[in-house]
Each structure stands twice: as C-alpha cells, then as structure tokens.
Amino acid sequence: MTDTTENRLPTTDATEEDAMPVSAQITAANDNDAEATTPRIDGGTISRFVILLLALINQALTMLGHPVLNIDDTTITQLVSLAWTAGSAIWCYWKDNDVTKRARVKKARLSARHAA
C-alpha cells in the first residue's frame, strides 16, 4: 500500500503564504484586496430577496389571522388570466417570427450560409 500523505504535504520550495491554511490566508488578506476582487451584489438579487421577504411576511400574517392582501377568488382568477396572457404575449414577441416575405428570404439566406 502506498503512502498518500506526501500529496498533502507542502513542498520545500513553497512560499510561506502557500504553506498557510486557507483560513489564515483569508485572515491575512487586506480589506482593500477583498473589496477589489469581490463583485458587488446584483440589483436583481436584492429585489428578488425583498419580494421573497414580503411574501413570507404576508404568509405569516395570513396564518396568524391578519391578512394583508385581502384578495377574493375572482381577483385571483383575473390575475392568473392576466399573467398567462402577458406571458404568452412576451414569449411570442421574443421569438424570432418572420412574417414578411423579405424577412423569410433573409432567414433562408442566413440558414443556407450557415449550412455551407
């Protein structure tokens, strides 16, 4: 059986920083270095978190008998219908739908160019 400990030991030519454990390297790093290499939190991430937080607060208040959003079944049906219509409209708009003759000819030329 071979000894696998030599794979984990630092080599003799390793610098002091390389020989430090990762936690020590993190502690030794400057705050300026961390801010320069750490990307900022995206605005979309913050907005999704806020919406999730509001939904959780609403759910907890509803469970305790204090509904914040007092919505009846008819309103929910209308909102789902609106969301479905808006989603399908956006999806149809997003897809590349070539309706005019000129657009279809252009797409055929591009397809032929890519096939060659």
Side-chain angles (χ1 to χ4, degrees):
M1 187 165 152
T2 27
D3 185 20
T4 58
T5 56
E6 71 180 36
N7 294 335
R8 293 184 298 226
L9 296 175
T11 60
T12 56
D13 60 338
T15 62
E16 182 180 324
E17 190 172 303
D18 291 338
M20 278 197 282
V22 175
S23 59
Q25 290 177 6
I26 293 172
T27 306
N30 291 342
D31 289 335
N32 295 337
D33 293 339
E35 287 192 21
T37 59
T38 305
R40 297 180 58 92
I41 296 176
D42 186 18
T45 302
I46 294 171
S47 64
R48 286 186 294 271
F49 176 74
V50 168
I51 289 172
L52 175 63
L53 185 64
L54 289 175
L56 289 171
I57 291 170
N58 181 50
Q59 183 65 35
L61 289 173
T62 301
M63 288 173 53
L64 296 174
H66 305 287
V68 176
L69 301 175
N70 196 5
I71 302 174
D72 60 343
D73 289 340
T74 307
T75 306
I76 291 174
T77 303
Q78 291 172 348
L79 288 173
V80 168
S81 177
L82 174 66
W84 183 262
T85 304
S88 64
I90 291 170
W91 180 67
C92 288
Y93 180 75
W94 183 264
K95 296 304 271 181
D96 189 14
N97 298 317
D98 299 320
V99 179
T100 64
K101 183 177 179 180
R102 182 177 174 191
R104 288 179 285 168
V105 169
K106 193 179 216 180
K107 186 174 183 178
R109 286 182 186 160
L110 285 173
S111 296
R113 203 180 287 169
H114 287 297

